């Protein structure tokens, strides 16, 4: 019997890409053949983990503008990262959805051809938008929700990207504003879907749930009590999904004592070098070792304190496992990894579902939410030191960590995907 | 006038390194006697500095002083070839390495005065000057007019790493096919054994720092074998720069293993004297290592910092 071939198609973000790596590692161990469909610019990333890649061709004009596009993106959006989620709808979220729809339309023909070449037994889509070629392939497809649980709506679940509680009086206003700012992109997307023989989606929705299997990362400790229970045969909560990653040996620092604090705002968040520099000034006064992911912006820093180490990339699961505190942007993978390893989170969101996870960390007592733009040095110092000294919080997180580790979400995901292929 | 104490110490360390090279050349085994007189003749110095050098090796458990008289080799030649030499390098360069490491970690700026370094490291002026001279020898710092010293480019950023790989892709294959490439079989065996040991470690226990150490040792070994003295010098200096300043934690276990297997394949070809094949394999190996992660990505936006498609 030939081996099952599973095509994983993560969106162009590290969170979903590395989440899919975790699932692919387990699929491979279970005897299947996981392969990756790569967005332009990600080529080689999955090969470094030992997986075959199929590259989506890039529009040549767009490729040539990559650096400029990013510079323009930074210039345009950096100031928006300090806005509240409602204000960001018009300044950031609308533009991002526009770009996502553009991507879906651009890659459709090439994706269709790639899928014909790959002939997968199943497609795993970890994205926020449907690519019609996937739905039309004729093989079962799995939706992975590597964003916050808010991506799957419910009356008892806060609106996606809102950063507000489910019963917040401002909810109707946010939902109306969301539909308004996404309307143009949504209309364009629905026309595109219809052209590809797919039914249009309701307003504000860009991705349907899979009729076969939907995998949600959110662990029990932070899950919402839904008004409408999700059907268990199609919706599975994974209790996190953490990849196997290279060992990180913390390099000795000139001041090499104290607990370990890891800071990563994701590759996009690293753009805000002013914010991170302000934080580093505070870190210099804390008796701890700080490892800071500054992405591609190492050259923006000088006079780094002796208890701080800057890196452009860390094998996150390994360093989080050794950390006593994780300062992050509320990216769902980061938040889930903090929970998986029982590490307190200090969440400082700047966009997207980071807002939802920031509030959820506060609500569930798994971390502290802090606004990016309005803290004082004393507040940050106190928050960091009190989180590390909070034995009750650490005990609570230890229990969560034990449950998540026992559940082995990545392995569960791989088993369910393989069972789905056998079943359909 | 007597030389400063730190320089005497450096000379003893250099002598200790020379002794380890003699051990390798003469094919000595663990437990063999190391007569002072023989070493004195071989090194062309008196017995007094030989004793000091042996004492350094004893302090690091490479040799043992026995009651019956004299020093005896306490480790295998393979360990001498790898760990001992690199340990001695580190001893010799310790302050230089700290300075370079602090620069790579952006703790000190790219222009420094000796006084500032004396204050930061609480070290004698002579030791700082000695460290700067070591770094100057490798082309890492240059003395400016006045008393300032300026750091030259190091491997501290994404772009610097790309430039480093571009240089190595040009030079390393050429270093192999240059006339008179000569491989020391014993050293090759030791480097091979280290890599095979590393490959036997389970996933999750490989470690990027240990890998970088091995990687630099392998590429330095290739450089040492080259028949072209200028390529040899340039590449050895560059590997020392990599060892001191490259901090790459981004390589997954799969690629670490793949990279070491590529090293072993290159060694196989070299041992068969298939130099052109080894040079081609080196190009492939370095090109694979050139693939870097995107520097910044976000949903809906193309990644920053990635070149064209392969």
């Amino acid at each position: 019997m030939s081996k099952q071939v599973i095509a994983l198609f993560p969106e162009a973000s590290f969170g979903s890409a590395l989440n899919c790596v975790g699932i692919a590692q387990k699929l491979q161990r279970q005897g299947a053949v996981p392969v990756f469909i790569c967005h332009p610019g990600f080529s080689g990333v999955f090969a470094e983990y030992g997986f075959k890649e199929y590259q989506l061709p890039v529009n040549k004009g767009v490729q040539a503008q990559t650096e400029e596009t990013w510079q323009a993106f930074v210039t345009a959006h950096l100031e928006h990262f300090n806005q509240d989620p409602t204000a960001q709808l018009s300044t950031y979220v609308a533009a991002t959805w526009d770009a996502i729809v553009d991507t879906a339309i651009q890659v459709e023909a090439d994706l269709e051809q790639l899928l014909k070449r790959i002939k997968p037994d199943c497609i795993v889509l970890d994205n926020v938008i449907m690519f019609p070629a996937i739905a039309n392939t004729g093989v079962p497809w799995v939706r992975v929700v590597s964003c916050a649980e808010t991506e799957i709506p419910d009356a008892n679940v806060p609106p996606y990207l809102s950063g507000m509680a489910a019963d917040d009086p401002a909810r109707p206003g946010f939902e109306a504003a969301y539909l308004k700012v996404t309307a143009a992109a949504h209309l364009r997307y629905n026309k595109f879907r219809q052209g590809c023989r797919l039914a249009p989606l309701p307003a504000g929705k860009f991705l349907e749930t899979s009729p076969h299997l939907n995998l949600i990362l959110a662990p029990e400790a932070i899950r919402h009590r839904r008004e409408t229970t999700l059907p268990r045969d199609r919706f599975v909560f994974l209790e996190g999904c953490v990849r196997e990653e290279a060992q990180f040996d913390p390099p000795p620092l000139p001041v090499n004592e104290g607990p370990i604090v890891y800071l990563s705002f994701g590759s996009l968040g690293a753009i805000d070098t002013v914010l991170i520099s302000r934080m580093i000034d505070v870190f210099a006064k804390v008796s701890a070792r700080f490892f800071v992911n500054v992405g591609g912006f190492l050259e923006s820093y000088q006079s780094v304190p002796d208890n701080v180490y800057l890196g452009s990339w860390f094998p996150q699961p390994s360093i989080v496992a050794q950390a006593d505190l994780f300062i992050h942007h509320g990216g769902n993978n980061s938040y889930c990894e903090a929970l998986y390893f029982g590490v307190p989170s200090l969440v400082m969101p700047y966009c997207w579902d980071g807002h939802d996870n920031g509030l959820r960390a506060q609500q569930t007592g798994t971390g502290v939410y802090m606004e990016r733009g309005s803290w004082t040095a004393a507040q940050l110092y106190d928050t960091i030191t009190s989180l590390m000294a909070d034995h009750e919080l650490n005990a609570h997180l230890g229990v969560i960590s034990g449950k998540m580790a026992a559940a082995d979400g990545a392995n569960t995901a791989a088993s369910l995907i393989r069972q789905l292929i056998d079943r359909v | 006038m007597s030389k400063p104490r730190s320089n005497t110490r450096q000379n003893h360390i250099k002598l200790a390194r020379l002794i380890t090279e003699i051990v390798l050349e003469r094919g000595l085994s663990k437990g063999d006697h190391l007569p002072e007189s023989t070493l004195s003749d071989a090194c062309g110095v008196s017995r007094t500095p030989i004793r000091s050098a042996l004492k350094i090796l004893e302090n690091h458990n490479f040799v043992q002083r026995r009651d019956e008289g004299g020093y005896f080799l306490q480790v295998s030649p393979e360990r001498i070839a790898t760990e001992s030499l690199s340990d001695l390098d580190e001893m010799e360069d310790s302050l230089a390495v700290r300075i370079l490491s602090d620069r790579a970690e952006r703790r000190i700026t790219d222009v420094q005065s000796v006084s500032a370094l004396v204050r930061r490291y609480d070290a004698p002026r002579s030791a700082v000057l000695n460290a700067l001279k070591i770094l100057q020898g490798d082309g890492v710092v240059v003395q400016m007019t006045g008393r300032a010293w300026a750091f030259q480019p190091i491997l501290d950023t994404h772009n610097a790493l790309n430039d480093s790989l571009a240089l190595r892709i040009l030079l390393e294959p050429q270093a192999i096919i240059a006339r008179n490439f000569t491989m020391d079989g014993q050293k090759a065996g030791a480097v091979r054994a280290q890599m095979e040991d590393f490959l036997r470690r389970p996933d999750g226990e490989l470690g990027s720092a240990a890998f970088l150490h091995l990687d630099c040792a392998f590429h330095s070994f290739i450089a040492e074998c080259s028949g072209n003295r200028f390529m040899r010098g340039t590449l050895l200096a560059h590997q020392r720069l990599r060892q001191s300043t490259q901090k790459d934690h981004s390589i997954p276990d799969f690629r670490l293993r793949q990279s070491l297997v590529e090293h072993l394949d290159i060694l196989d070809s070299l041992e068969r004297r298939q130099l052109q094949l080894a040079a081609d394999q080196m190009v492939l190996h370095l090109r694979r290592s050139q693939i870097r992660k995107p520097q910044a990505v976000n949903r809906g936006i193309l990644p920053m910092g990635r070149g064209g498609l392969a």
Side-chain angles (χ1 to χ4, degrees):
Chain A
M1 193 176 118
S2 61
K3 289 184 173 181
Q4 296 167 332
V5 176
I6 293 119
L8 297 109
F9 185 21
E11 68 170 330
S13 75
F14 274 123
S16 56
L18 298 176
N19 179 49
C20 283
V21 165
I23 296 173
Q25 287 169 332
K26 299 295 184 183
L27 281 168
Q28 195 169 50
R29 201 154 296 162
Q30 292 181 19
V33 181
V35 300
F36 277 83
I37 298 170
C38 274
H39 275 290
F42 264 82
S43 65
V45 170
F46 305 105
E48 284 213 330
Y49 288 92
F51 301 112
K52 185 165 176 57
E53 297 176 350
Y54 291 88
Q55 187 74 39
L56 281 172
V58 64
N59 176 300
K60 287 203 165 43
V62 174
Q63 184 181 334
Q65 292 168 13
T66 298
E67 288 283 349
E68 289 168 20
T69 305
W70 262 100
Q71 202 47 55
F73 178 89
V74 172
T75 309
H77 288 302
L78 194 52
E79 62 178 297
H80 301 146
F81 290 164
N82 285 342
Q83 293 177 331
D84 67 61
T86 305
Q88 278 185 350
L89 287 177
S90 54
T91 59
Y92 181 75
V93 173
T96 304
W97 274 120
D98 253 343
I100 292 168
V101 170
D102 284 346
T103 305
I105 294 170
Q106 279 167 14
V107 306
E108 176 65 13
D110 292 317
L111 180 60
E112 194 179 339
Q113 289 303 313
L114 266 189
L115 289 169
K116 281 179 184 162
R117 269 177 63 199
I118 300 170
K119 298 187 182 67
D121 296 295
C122 177
I123 301 165
V124 175
L125 178 66
D126 190 339
N127 213 308
V128 291
I129 194 165
M130 170 51 79
F131 295 79
I134 290 174
N136 289 332
T137 304
V139 298
W141 65 276
V142 177
R143 175 174 173 181
V144 179
V145 180
S146 67
C147 278
E149 188 195 348
T150 50
E151 200 179 302
I152 307 293
D154 181 88
N156 285 351
V157 174
Y160 186 40
L161 315 186
S162 70
M164 60 178 54
D167 58 356
D168 193 311
R171 176 173 186 156
F174 180 88
E175 287 174 330
Y178 185 86
L179 294 183
K180 189 177 171 192
V181 301
T182 56
H186 193 262
L187 182 66
R188 203 154 57 90
Y189 178 60
N190 261 348
K191 278 186 184 164
F192 164 62
R193 281 179 68 101
Q194 285 171 303
C196 299
R197 297 168 283 113
L198 284 190
L201 291 174
K205 272 194 159 189
F206 292 85
L207 175 55
E208 55 270 59
T209 57
S210 166
H212 311 287
L213 180 63
N214 301 274
L215 302 170
I216 306 171
L217 261 63
E220 188 182 6
I222 60 165
R223 222 170 282 160
H224 295 272
R225 285 186 182 279
R226 290 177 171 265
E227 184 180 87
T228 308
T229 306
L230 295 167
R232 289 191 177 188
D233 58 333
R234 289 197 297 122
F235 290 84
V236 177
F237 285 90
L238 290 178
E239 297 293 324
C241 182
V242 178
R243 71 189 183 280
E244 294 161 14
E245 189 51 279
Q247 175 195 346
F248 176 70
D249 300 316
L253 309 185
V255 175
N256 200 37
E257 289 170 352
I260 289 180
V261 180
Y262 173 54
L263 183 157
S264 175
F265 291 147
S267 64
L268 181 61
I271 283 168
D272 197 346
T273 56
V274 174
L275 173 80
I276 294 175
S277 295
R278 275 186 66 209
M279 295 179 75
I280 288 173
D281 289 343
V282 177
F283 295 166
K285 300 182 179 84
V286 182
S287 298
R289 290 169 286 165
F290 290 83
F291 293 86
V292 180
N293 182 356
V294 295
F297 300 91
L298 199 60
E299 282 162 283
S300 305
Y301 299 88
Q302 297 294 342
S303 304
V304 177
D306 283 352
N307 65 332
V308 176
Y309 180 91
L310 309 185
S312 56
W313 173 270
F314 293 88
Q316 193 158 289
S318 177
I319 189 168
V320 173
Q322 301 172 66
D324 298 278
L325 173 64
F326 185 7
I327 304 173
H328 58 84
H329 59 304
N332 204 50
N333 250 24
S334 294
Y335 185 34
C336 282
E337 282 167 4
L339 294 167
Y340 185 89
F341 292 110
V343 179
S345 289
L346 171 53
V347 189
M348 300 173 73
Y350 59 86
C351 70
W352 219 254
D353 60 336
H355 297 304
D356 300 345
N357 281 327
L359 179 69
R360 201 59 185 152
Q362 190 87 27
Q363 287 174 331
T364 55
T366 52
V368 166
Y369 166 83
M370 184 178 258
E371 278 188 14
R372 288 160 46 85
S374 58
W375 50 269
T376 65
Q379 283 170 334
L380 181 60
Y381 179 96
D382 289 344
T383 306
I384 289 171
T385 49
S386 59
L387 273 169
M388 287 192 294
D390 190 336
H391 300 302
E392 201 177 319
L393 168 64
N394 278 285
H396 174 51
L397 287 165
V399 174
I400 294 170
S401 169
K403 285 183 182 171
M404 289 177 75
D408 196 356
N411 203 41
T412 304
S415 301
L416 290 170
I417 291 165
R418 293 182 56 246
Q419 288 164 19
L420 170 67
I421 297 170
D422 291 338
R423 200 171 65 232
V424 175
Chain B
M1 196 176 107
S2 64
K3 286 185 176 177
R5 184 177 165 75
S6 58
N7 279 359
T8 308
R9 165 86 175 159
Q10 300 300 331
N11 289 338
H12 291 158
I13 294 170
K14 279 183 181 145
L15 203 50
R17 194 196 327 214
L18 189 56
I19 292 172
T20 62
E21 285 168 5
I22 291 167
V23 165
L24 287 174
E25 279 168 16
R26 300 193 177 180
L28 299 182
S29 305
K30 186 176 175 180
D32 281 353
H33 186 212
L34 301 173
E36 286 177 12
S37 56
T38 311
L39 293 173
S40 172
D41 291 344
C43 298
V45 296
S46 71
R47 286 191 190 195
T48 308
I50 289 290
R51 271 186 218 122
S52 300
L54 285 167
K55 189 76 189 162
I56 289 173
L57 291 172
E58 184 188 18
N59 290 342
H60 286 77
N61 299 319
F62 302 143
V63 302
Q64 185 184 33
R65 186 174 173 76
R66 291 186 191 162
D67 291 340
E68 63 258 40
Y71 286 90
F72 293 80
L73 193 59
Q74 203 180 357
V75 294
S76 64
E78 287 77 19
R79 270 195 62 196
I80 280 277
T82 51
E83 292 173 37
S84 310
L85 285 175
S86 60
D87 283 359
L88 289 170
D89 283 346
E90 282 169 21
M91 285 161 59
E92 187 177 11
D93 300 342
S94 58
L95 183 56
V97 167
R98 284 174 67 196
I99 293 172
L100 196 48
S101 181
D102 279 348
R103 173 62 201 138
E105 290 167 15
R106 310 187 88 74
R107 302 185 196 288
I108 57 177
T109 53
D110 57 355
V111 176
Q112 289 290 320
S113 69
V114 174
S115 308
L117 294 172
V118 164
R119 281 196 300 277
R120 175 169 174 84
Y121 297 104
D122 193 20
R125 196 174 178 79
S126 59
V128 168
L129 275 169
N130 195 48
L132 287 169
K133 292 267 166 61
I134 290 170
L135 295 175
Q136 189 180 32
D138 283 343
V140 178
V141 293
V142 291
Q143 189 166 16
M144 300 167 74
T145 47
R147 298 189 173 187
W149 292 74
F151 281 90
Q152 298 302 290
I154 55 176
L155 282 85
D156 58 343
T157 65
H158 187 86
N159 290 336
L161 276 178
N162 281 342
D163 287 349
S164 164
L165 275 162
L167 170 83
R168 293 170 59 201
I169 285 174
L170 278 178
L171 277 191
E172 290 200 40
Q174 295 303 319
I176 292 173
I177 55 178
R179 209 155 48 89
N180 295 332
F181 182 92
T182 310
M183 193 163 76
D184 178 330
Q186 196 161 13
K187 271 194 183 177
V191 171
R192 178 188 290 277
Q194 287 267 309
M195 292 192 291
E196 286 171 344
D197 275 355
F198 192 84
L199 281 169
R200 277 191 281 274
R201 293 188 193 180
D203 275 355
E205 291 179 21
L206 297 177
S208 54
F211 170 80
L212 182 64
H213 193 79
L214 270 184
D215 189 55
C216 289
F218 168 77
H219 288 280
S220 296
F221 171 67
I222 299 293
E224 279 169 21
C225 300
S226 178
N228 185 307
R229 72 198 73 185
F230 298 112
M231 287 185 193
R232 188 165 61 229
T234 303
L235 286 172
L236 283 172
H238 194 71
Q239 291 302 330
R240 284 198 291 277
L241 191 65
R242 284 188 67 214
Q243 177 71 64
S244 307
T245 64
Q246 186 171 328
K247 313 276 193 258
D248 193 348
H249 308 297
S250 68
I251 311 168
D253 284 351
F254 177 86
R255 176 59 196 151
L256 292 184
R257 287 188 192 286
Q258 189 183 49
S259 190
L260 289 181
V261 169
E262 288 163 9
H263 287 176
L264 292 171
D265 288 344
I266 292 169
L267 279 182
D268 286 345
S269 299
L270 291 174
E271 280 169 352
R272 293 191 303 265
R273 296 295 298 167
Q274 292 174 316
L275 299 187
Q276 185 61 59
L277 175 60
D280 291 346
Q281 286 170 316
M282 182 63 86
V283 173
L284 180 66
H285 166 63
L286 293 173
R287 285 214 187 284
R288 277 187 172 148
S289 303
Q290 209 169 18
I291 297 169
R292 314 298 314 170
K293 287 188 167 62
Q295 284 183 277
V297 293
N298 188 45
R299 55 181 57 86
I301 313 283
L302 283 175
M304 179 183 75
R306 296 302 299 262
L309 307 176

